[in-house]
């Protein structure tokens, strides 16, 4: 048998046969315990025949190396002696000496540039040349052979052109420094929400400041003070904007004005035509009174008008002197005194005044006068005086209404009369007028609602805004479930999730990492899924041992304990070279197409690969969910030694899917064929949580 070993020592059987031949013919020492049991050690099998100097075995192949002073030839096995290094014998360079086919030349380290003499090196100022790449907001500082980026000190900023720190000028109040222009520019306090205007004012930006202007006007008779934005009464009399007739006196009042006729001296009367007090020329026997009317002169009150034997009787515009034996008209003789006395026609009821007139007794007669607010017409009847026709007698925000014998001023809606003015009614004093908040405006009011509520059509009551429903068209309000609350909303997460950040997003709880899982079955492992976890059982077949899970806890491998098989042991001969269990979890709404899993073999021209993908099991976990088939997946083979499993269509969840990817390896020299199997378990969840 040993003679046969000498004859067969140079043969290459491949597969587990080479290992068996090596153990049988070369002794057990030829097998390295640290080398994978399925690897062929070509260096040991063909010692001194495949490499010129040093042979290094690799998994699935080998490589040739050379001793110091030699270089590996392009054929991959022959070593060629190196030529002597001329830089060692002559090196004029300041930093690095480079030898090539043209001789030797000098080069500089990174951050330096070769000077014109071709020998010395000079530092490159990356900051000045613009080649530095500093993060946003950091300045560039040059240093020998490199540069450094750091934040600018207080009072300075990064120059966008040179990328170095420069001093920032201090701007006055209302201005800010513009880094682009390098100058101070006006700050728009209105746009930056830095103003102090109220809700009834409008902010207008000015150079270096801002002003608050009223949104609502001041109304008739008032003007706005630009500096304080308050309403001030307009003095129409002082400005000459009144419409008083010629000669009338203008009296300013709050929000309006009055036209008053001037008082004339006795004996004169105001003339609307001339606008002056004109003398009154009364007929003989009459004189002007304080009202400017020509009234009768009672000559009998003057002494010596009649003789002592006569009695003076006054008449309109004149008088009469009669003897005492007879009484004048409207008089009668007193039986006791035998003197003439006046007859009171008003008391006796013998007057001729109308029912709406008042009787006034006079000496020897009587008169009929009209009540206040009335005047006598040309027929002697009393007619109502329309005071509203005399001009602006009511406040600017009121309406004059004539009444019998008088008038009244009706204030506009939303105002009430106080004294001679109409003032705004603050409807907001009635706390039951608005459900939430009331804002008083001139002549009216407005109801507003608290955040999270909207005003109802009645303009008084408020109703809750259902944010979960109202904002659904813009996307999901919550990562989990949205629950509307009065004036707001809250987000909740389903079991297996916890709220994240501001409470709107949900984060999956990794029960496996936190140790809250319960996997009790033998040889089961914990694998985290979206909102839960799985406890798959990984049982390696005979002849395999399970390796520990990796840090990502998504893969378990079953390692073959031996590649030596007994003659006729079909199970051993057909067992895979490698067996792995791989676990993936993703939601139904995953972006497709997407790559799920990749598997690769050693890239060498001496091996040939064949790939196969099968769906072993598909189990929907809810009624109505359609099970997947092979058409959902695509197997893409790249450079023959690598295959990628990708998903073509979205999978309805929840659903558990088991795939099996097989890689068949054929050694072209030995014709040995082996397989590597990767079992892929997909745990597809629903898309109810984002």
């Amino acid at each position: 048998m040993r003679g046969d070993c000498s004859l067969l020592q140079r043969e290459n059987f491949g597969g587990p046969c080479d290992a068996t031949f090596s153990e049988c013919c070369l002794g057990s020492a030829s097998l390295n315990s640290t080398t994978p049991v399925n690897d062929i050690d070509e260096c040991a099998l063909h010692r001194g025949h495949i490499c010129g100097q040093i042979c290094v075995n690799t998994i699935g192949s080998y490589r040739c190396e050379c001793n110091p002073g030699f270089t590996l030839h392009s054929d991959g096995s022959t070593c060629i002696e190196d030529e002597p290094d001329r830089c060692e014998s002559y090196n004029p360079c300041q930093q690095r000496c480079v030898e090539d086919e043209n001789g030797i030349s000098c080069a500089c380290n990174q951050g330096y540039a070769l000077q014109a003499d071709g020998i010395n090196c000079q530092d490159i100022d990356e900051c000045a040349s613009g080649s530095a790449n500093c993060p946003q907001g950091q300045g560039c500082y040059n240093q020998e052979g490199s540069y450094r980026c750091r934040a600018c000190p207080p009072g300075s900023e990064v120059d966008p052109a040179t990328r170095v720190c420069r001093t920032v000028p201090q701007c006055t109040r209302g201005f800010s420094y513009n880094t682009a222009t390098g100058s101070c520019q006006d700050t728009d306090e209105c746009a930056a929400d830095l103003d102090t205007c109220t809700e009834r004012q409008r902010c207008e930006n000015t150079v270096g400041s801002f002003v608050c202007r009223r949104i609502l006007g001041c109304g008739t008779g008032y003007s706005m003070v630009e500096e304080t934005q308050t309403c001030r009464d307009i003095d129409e009399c002082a400005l000459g904007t009144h419409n008083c007739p010629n000669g009338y006196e203008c009296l300013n009042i709050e929000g309006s004005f009055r036209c008053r006729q001037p008082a004339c001296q006795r004996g004169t009367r105001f003339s609307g035509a001339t606008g002056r007090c004109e003398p009154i020329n009364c007929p003989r026997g009459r004189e002007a009174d304080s009202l400017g009317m020509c009234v009768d002169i009672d000559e009998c009150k003057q002494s010596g008008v009649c003789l002592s034997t006569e009695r003076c009787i006054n008449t309109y515009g004149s008088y009469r002197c009669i003897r005492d034996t007879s009484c004048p008209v409207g008089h009668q003789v007193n039986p006791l005194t035998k003197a003439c006395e006046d007859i009171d026609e008003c008391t006796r009821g013998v007057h001729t005044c109308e029912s709406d007139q008042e009787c006034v007794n006079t000496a020897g007669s009587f008169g009929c006068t009209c009540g206040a607010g009335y005047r006598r017409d040309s027929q002697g009847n009393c007619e109502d005086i329309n005071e509203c026709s005399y001009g602006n007698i009511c406040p600017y925000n009121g309406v004059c209404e004539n009444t019998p014998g008088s008038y009244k001023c009706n204030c506009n809606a939303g105002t009430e009369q106080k004294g001679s003015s109409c003032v705004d009614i603050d409807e907001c004093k009635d706390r039951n007028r608005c459900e939430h908040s009331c804002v008083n405006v001139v002549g009216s009011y407005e109801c507003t609602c608290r955040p999270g509520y909207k005003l109802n059509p009645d303009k008084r009551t408020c109703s809750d805004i259902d944010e979960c429903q109202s904002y659904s068209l813009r996307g999901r309000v919550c990562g989990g479930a949205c629950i509307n609350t009065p004036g707001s909303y809250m987000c909740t997460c389903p079991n297996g999730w916890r709220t994240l950040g501001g409470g709107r997003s949900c984060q999956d709880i990794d029960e496996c990492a936190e140790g809250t899982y319960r996997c009790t079955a033998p040889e089961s492992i914990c694998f985290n899924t979206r909102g839960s976890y799985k406890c798959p059982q990984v049982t390696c077949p005979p002849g395999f041992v399970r390796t520990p899970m990796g840090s990502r806890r998504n893969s378990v491998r079953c390692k073959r304990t031996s590649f030596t098989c007994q003659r006729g042991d079909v199970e051993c001969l057909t067992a895979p070279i490698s067996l792995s269990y791989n676990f993936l979890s993703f939601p139904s709404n995953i972006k497709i197409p997407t790559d799920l899993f990749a598997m690769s073999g050693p890239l060498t021209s001496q091996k040939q690969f064949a790939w196969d993908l099968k769906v072993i099991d598909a189990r929907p976990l809810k009624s109505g969910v359609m099970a997947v088939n092979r058409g959902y997946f695509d197997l893409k083979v790249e450079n023959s030694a690598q295959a990628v499993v990708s998903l073509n269509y979205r999978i309805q969840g929840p659903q558990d899917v088991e795939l099996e990817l097989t890689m068949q390896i054929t050694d072209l020299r030995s014709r040995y064929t082996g397989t590597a199997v990767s079992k892929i378990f997909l745990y597809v969840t629903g898309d109810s949580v984002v």
Side-chain angles (χ1 to χ4, degrees):
M1 181 64 185
R2 288 296 178 180
D4 294 337
C5 288
S6 298
L7 295 175
L8 299 175
Q9 185 173 0
R10 298 184 180 179
E11 295 297 328
N12 184 9
F13 300 99
C17 297
D18 283 334
T20 303
F21 168 78
S22 179
E23 182 178 7
C24 176
C25 294
L26 304 180
S28 59
S30 63
L31 296 178
N32 191 341
S33 59
T34 61
T35 305
V37 295
N38 63 330
D39 178 56
I40 300 171
D41 189 348
E42 293 88 350
C43 297
L45 292 176
H46 310 289
R47 189 179 307 277
H49 294 281
I50 56 178
C51 291
Q53 292 184 355
I54 302 173
C55 179
V56 179
N57 184 57
T58 62
I59 298 176
S61 185
Y62 67 94
R63 71 173 183 272
C64 295
E65 295 182 353
C66 297
N67 296 322
F70 292 85
T71 302
L72 190 64
H73 192 267
S74 59
D75 61 5
S77 62
T78 306
C79 292
I80 302 173
E81 185 177 3
D82 296 336
E83 294 182 4
D85 189 353
R86 285 182 285 178
C87 284
E88 291 184 0
S89 59
Y90 174 70
N91 183 4
C93 302
Q94 183 183 14
Q95 291 186 352
R96 290 193 299 115
C97 178
V98 179
E99 181 182 358
D100 55 18
E101 59 183 5
N102 297 322
I104 62 172
S105 60
C106 295
C108 297
N109 298 330
Q110 185 176 0
Y112 293 87
L114 193 64
Q115 294 188 9
D117 59 7
I119 296 175
N120 295 307
C121 297
Q122 183 179 15
D123 173 57
I124 298 174
D125 190 344
E126 292 84 357
C127 302
S129 63
S131 60
N133 185 17
C134 287
Q136 186 70 24
Q138 292 190 354
C140 178
Y141 293 84
N142 186 61
Q143 60 185 22
E144 193 70 23
S146 183
Y147 64 94
R148 183 175 56 177
C149 299
R150 65 181 182 183
C152 294
S156 62
E157 65 176 5
V158 178
D159 189 319
T162 63
R163 306 302 300 169
V164 297
C165 295
R166 65 180 182 187
T167 303
V168 178
Q170 298 298 317
C171 299
T172 58
R173 182 183 180 88
F175 293 85
S176 59
Y177 184 69
N178 189 322
T179 58
T181 62
S183 60
C184 294
Q185 66 176 18
D186 173 56
T187 300
D188 191 342
E189 294 84 357
C190 302
D193 200 19
L194 301 175
D195 60 275
T196 57
C197 299
T198 64
E199 60 181 4
R200 299 186 184 179
Q201 294 176 327
R202 181 182 71 256
C203 177
E204 291 186 5
N205 186 59
T206 61
V207 178
S209 185
F210 64 93
V211 294
C212 298
R213 301 191 181 281
R214 286 174 59 96
I215 299 176
L216 299 176
C218 291
T220 306
Y222 293 87
S223 63
M224 186 181 297
V225 181
E226 188 69 21
E227 294 78 10
T228 62
Q229 288 292 295
T230 57
C231 295
R232 178 176 60 190
D233 172 58
I234 298 174
D235 190 345
E236 295 87 352
C237 302
L239 297 175
T241 57
H242 61 85
N243 57 356
C244 293
N246 184 28
Y248 278 74
E249 180 183 2
C250 177
L251 297 177
N252 185 65
I253 61 174
E254 192 71 22
S256 187
F257 62 92
R258 295 286 184 271
C259 298
R260 185 175 66 182
Q261 181 178 305
C264 296
Q265 296 180 353
R266 189 178 185 85
T268 61
R269 179 170 52 195
F270 182 76
S271 173
T274 62
R276 298 192 302 271
C277 292
E278 302 288 349
I280 302 174
N281 297 319
C282 294
R284 183 177 177 178
R286 279 176 279 183
E287 64 180 355
D289 63 3
S290 60
L291 299 178
M293 305 295 292
C294 289
V295 296
D296 175 58
I297 299 174
D298 190 354
E299 294 88 350
C300 295
K301 292 182 179 181
Q302 301 175 5
S303 59
V305 175
C306 294
L307 298 176
S308 58
T309 57
E310 296 176 328
R311 181 163 51 87
C312 179
I313 299 175
N314 185 60
T315 60
Y316 188 75
S318 184
Y319 66 95
R320 290 184 298 139
C321 293
I322 60 174
R323 297 176 61 184
D324 287 339
T325 54
S326 62
C327 292
V329 177
H331 292 76
Q332 63 182 3
V333 177
N334 190 318
L336 298 177
T337 61
K338 303 300 182 179
C340 292
E341 62 180 12
D342 175 61
I343 299 173
D344 191 346
E345 295 86 354
C346 299
T347 303
R348 294 185 180 185
V350 294
H351 61 84
T352 58
C353 295
E354 299 293 337
S355 59
D356 59 349
Q357 295 178 341
E358 181 182 357
C359 177
V360 179
N361 185 61
T362 61
S365 184
F366 64 91
C368 298
T369 62
C370 297
Y374 292 88
R375 63 185 174 191
R376 300 184 67 178
D377 59 11
S378 60
Q379 304 298 324
N381 299 320
C382 292
E383 66 175 2
D384 175 56
I385 299 173
N386 186 2
E387 295 84 356
C388 297
S389 63
Y390 287 165
N392 192 11
I393 60 176
C394 288
Y396 75 95
N397 50 356
V399 179
C400 179
E401 179 185 356
N402 186 57
T403 60
S406 184
Y407 70 96
K408 64 179 181 179
C409 293
N410 299 321
C411 293
N412 296 338
T415 60
E416 60 182 354
Q417 189 167 3
K418 285 189 178 181
S420 60
S421 302
C422 292
V423 297
D424 175 56
I425 299 174
D426 189 355
E427 296 87 351
C428 295
K429 290 183 178 180
D430 180 6
R431 297 187 176 181
N432 297 323
R433 188 170 297 274
C434 296
E435 183 177 1
H436 284 183
S437 301
C438 179
V439 179
N440 184 59
V441 296
V442 177
S444 184
Y445 68 96
E446 294 178 357
C447 293
T448 59
C449 299
R450 292 191 293 269
Y453 293 84
K454 62 182 178 181
L455 196 64
N456 291 327
D458 61 5
K459 301 300 182 182
R460 295 184 60 188
T461 60
C462 300
S463 60
D464 174 57
I465 298 174
D466 188 346
E467 294 85 354
C468 301
Q469 188 68 26
S470 301
Y471 301 152
S472 60
L473 297 178
R474 307 179 190 174
R476 300 188 64 168
V477 181
C478 300
C482 179
I483 300 175
N484 187 58
T485 61
S488 184
Y489 67 95
M490 62 181 295
C491 298
T492 61
C493 296
N495 293 334
W497 300 79
R498 64 166 62 95
T499 57
L500 182 66
R504 293 182 56 184
S505 301
C506 295
Q507 182 186 43
D508 172 53
I509 299 174
D510 190 343
E511 295 84 357
C512 302
E514 296 182 7
T516 58
Y517 66 92
R518 292 187 62 188
C519 295
T520 58
E523 297 186 330
S524 63
I525 63 172
C526 178
F527 177 70
N528 186 61
T529 62
R530 288 168 49 86
S532 184
Y533 62 93
K534 295 285 185 177
C535 295
Q537 288 183 263
V538 179
T539 303
C540 294
F544 289 80
V545 292
R546 194 174 80 179
T547 61
M549 294 185 68
S551 60
R552 299 179 62 182
R553 301 184 63 83
N554 65 347
S555 177
V556 176
R557 294 187 179 276
C558 289
K559 182 178 180 181
R560 188 166 174 172
T561 58
S562 175
F563 287 89
T564 302
C565 300
Q566 299 294 329
R567 185 181 301 275
D569 189 349
V570 178
E571 183 178 0
C572 176
L573 293 173
T574 58
I577 299 173
S578 173
L579 176 62
S580 66
Y581 293 79
N582 305 274
F583 308 97
L584 298 174
S585 178
F586 52 84
S588 296
N589 60 354
I590 188 174
K591 181 181 178 181
I592 54 106
T594 185
D595 294 340
L596 299 179
F597 184 80
M599 184 177 180
S600 61
L603 185 60
T604 173
S605 60
Q606 300 300 320
K607 290 181 174 56
Q608 188 176 24
F609 301 89
W611 302 88
D612 183 49
L613 177 66
K614 296 178 181 179
V615 177
I616 304 301
D617 187 24
R619 290 185 297 108
L621 304 182
K622 188 174 69 175
S623 61
V625 176
M626 185 174 64
V628 301
N629 53 47
R630 179 61 176 80
Y632 277 71
F633 305 95
D634 186 23
L635 183 60
K636 299 182 294 185
V637 178
E638 301 177 358
N639 61 45
S640 76
Q642 183 179 20
V644 178
V645 179
S646 61
L647 181 64
N648 290 333
Y649 306 99
R650 287 181 175 173
I651 302 176
Q652 283 185 286
Q655 184 172 179
D656 293 350
V657 181
E658 180 182 352
L659 304 178
E660 185 177 276
L661 177 61
T662 302
M663 175 178 67
Q664 187 178 48
I665 311 170
T666 302
D667 191 298
L668 298 180
R669 293 180 296 181
S670 63
R671 308 311 299 174
Y672 167 76
T673 300
T675 59
V677 178
S678 291
K679 292 183 175 294
I680 308 169
F681 296 87
L682 307 179
Y683 302 119
V684 184
T685 63
D687 56 358
S688 59
V689 179
V690 296

